[in-house]
Amino acid sequence: MGKDTTISWCDSSVNPTMGCDGCELWNDHEKTCYAGKLHDRYGGVNRGFSPTFEQLTLHPGRMAKAAAWSDLRGARREAKPWLNGMPRLIFVSDMSDALSRDVPFEYLKSEVVENVTSTKGRRHQWLWLTKQPARMRKFDQYLEGLGIGWPRNLWAGTSVTTQPTVARVRELIQVRARIRFVSAEPLRGPIDLSELLAIRVIWGASSFGKTTPLTETEPAVKLVIAGGESGNSAHPCDIGWLRSLQHQCLSAGVACHIKQLGDRCIQNGVHVPVRDSGGEDWSEWPDSLIDLRMRQMPRSA
Ligand code: SF4
């Protein structure tokens, strides 16, 4: 069994690197990134962490270990029935950003690409999330220069929090991944992705050395995950923002996964109380939010 996670859109997580360059959630003015806070507590004490969050460390061997985790193809998940029947879904980099500037492409090729395409690694789907999709695109170009296709079972994802950060999705769309996804969590304002979700592409990039026939178009982005912020200092998340993203997905034929309401969810100006941390347990969501109980995943995985 792998490293289990309660995150609703995956089964497990793995970190080929630890530490990060930072983003809007971790900088001189704000320190709210969960991974950064854990580094502040355990960095320099626990060898699994970087000495400081700003100091990138490489952890070769973790991806190979993850590749050897049990095969979940066709398995049922009691706690996450929306994943039933899928392969093991492994979140790559929940405690780091492996596309941080000091991580060499040679390392990402040997540690990430070679393990996800190994005989064991191919049994799983790997969901690689970054806030540096421009560097992910450069990494893809590096692979292309070596004659290597983007692995079919390696999803490429980026995180957005506000409308200005949506520019990341334009970079993401340049990556040759079969499945691209957007994580809009923590959602800190209304986000309009409709123009980007309407982009359709012809899937023809080579993967595992084979080329798929150019027969039909698909949405360039196949999944949007959305959720409010967790924690005592969470920013508010308006239900209208979540509903808007849900409608944008439905209009574009893109899978929509409402992960959580967050700890400061607002509906019509009124706080929606949740007992469960982060508001993930939809059994306690009020009836007026029943339409948001939607946790879709792309089925072409
Ligand atoms: S990019 Fe991700 S890991 Fe890095 S500081 Fe931001 S939220 Fe944290």
Side-chain angles (χ1 to χ4, degrees):
M1 196 64 190
K3 180 193 166 193
D4 290 344
T5 173
T6 58
I7 296 170
S8 63
W9 46 270
C10 58
D11 296 293
S12 319
S13 65
V14 63
N15 287 280
T17 62
M18 293 295 270
C20 184
D21 290 346
C23 69
E24 66 271 24
L25 305 183
W26 194 265
N27 51 60
D28 289 343
H29 310 290
E30 175 167 344
K31 303 278 180 196
T32 54
C33 165
Y34 175 73
K37 288 188 202 173
L38 283 184
H39 271 83
D40 275 357
R41 194 182 308 166
Y42 299 115
V45 179
N46 183 318
R47 281 189 300 154
F49 287 76
S50 287
T52 67
F53 192 47
E54 289 72 19
Q55 187 177 336
L56 256 293
T57 50
L58 309 183
H59 290 265
R62 287 183 175 179
M63 291 290 291
K65 202 170 161 190
W69 289 341
S70 64
D71 189 352
L72 292 184
R73 282 175 292 186
R76 294 187 62 77
R77 283 82 154 174
E78 291 300 319
K80 303 176 192 175
W82 45 86
L83 302 185
N84 283 347
M86 298 189 79
R88 181 184 288 276
L89 300 173
I90 303 176
F91 178 0
V92 179
S93 275
D94 65 330
M95 295 294 296
S96 171
D97 193 327
L99 273 306
S100 292
R101 63 181 171 269
D102 288 341
V103 182
F105 285 166
E106 293 78 9
Y107 176 75
L108 294 176
K109 172 180 162 291
S110 65
E111 188 63 13
V112 177
V113 173
E114 290 178 11
N115 279 302
V116 308
T117 56
S118 69
T119 303
K120 288 179 179 172
R122 288 188 199 190
R123 302 169 308 152
H124 315 309
Q125 298 286 318
W126 305 76
L127 287 68
W128 193 2
L129 191 60
T130 182
K131 280 204 174 73
Q132 301 206 37
R135 191 154 195 262
M136 182 181 263
R137 182 185 173 195
K138 284 195 181 123
F139 176 58
D140 185 26
Q141 290 168 337
Y142 162 81
L143 291 177
E144 196 171 17
L146 296 175
I148 299 172
W150 189 271
R152 188 183 174 90
N153 61 336
L154 182 59
W155 304 18
T158 196
S159 297
V160 298
T161 52
T162 56
Q163 191 66 34
T165 62
V166 165
R168 291 176 187 149
V169 182
R170 289 197 184 279
E171 295 289 347
L172 180 78
I173 288 173
Q174 308 300 318
V175 178
R176 295 175 296 163
R178 175 74 197 265
I179 298 184
R180 302 181 196 86
F181 66 105
V182 173
S183 171
E185 188 213 353
L187 191 56
R188 288 186 167 180
I191 284 183
D192 183 359
L193 288 173
S194 50
E195 188 189 331
L196 294 162
L197 297 186
I199 296 173
R200 299 182 69 86
V201 294
I202 297 172
W203 168 250
S206 63
S207 53
F208 298 144
K210 296 178 186 160
T211 299
T212 308
L214 306 176
T215 52
E216 54 183 271
T217 63
E218 305 176 327
V221 172
K222 291 196 171 166
L223 167 68
V224 174
I225 298 159
E229 191 159 358
S230 306
N232 294 334
S233 55
H235 290 66
C237 177
D238 194 293
I239 285 295
W241 306 341
L242 293 170
R243 279 223 171 89
S244 169
L245 278 176
Q246 181 188 36
H247 292 156
Q248 291 171 46
C249 288
L250 292 173
S251 301
V254 170
C256 175
H257 191 104
I258 306 292
K259 177 174 176 275
Q260 62 182 49
L261 300 183
D263 284 310
R264 280 189 67 199
C265 181
I266 309 291
Q267 183 178 26
N268 300 324
V270 178
H271 175 66
V272 179
V274 286
R275 289 187 306 277
D276 177 52
S277 171
E280 271 196 73
D281 179 2
W282 68 21
S283 70
E284 65 173 38
W285 297 1
D287 288 347
S288 59
L289 301 184
I290 203 161
D291 57 311
L292 283 176
R293 294 183 191 177
M294 181 175 283
R295 286 182 178 153
Q296 299 176 329
M297 296 297 287
R299 283 291 151 180
S300 51

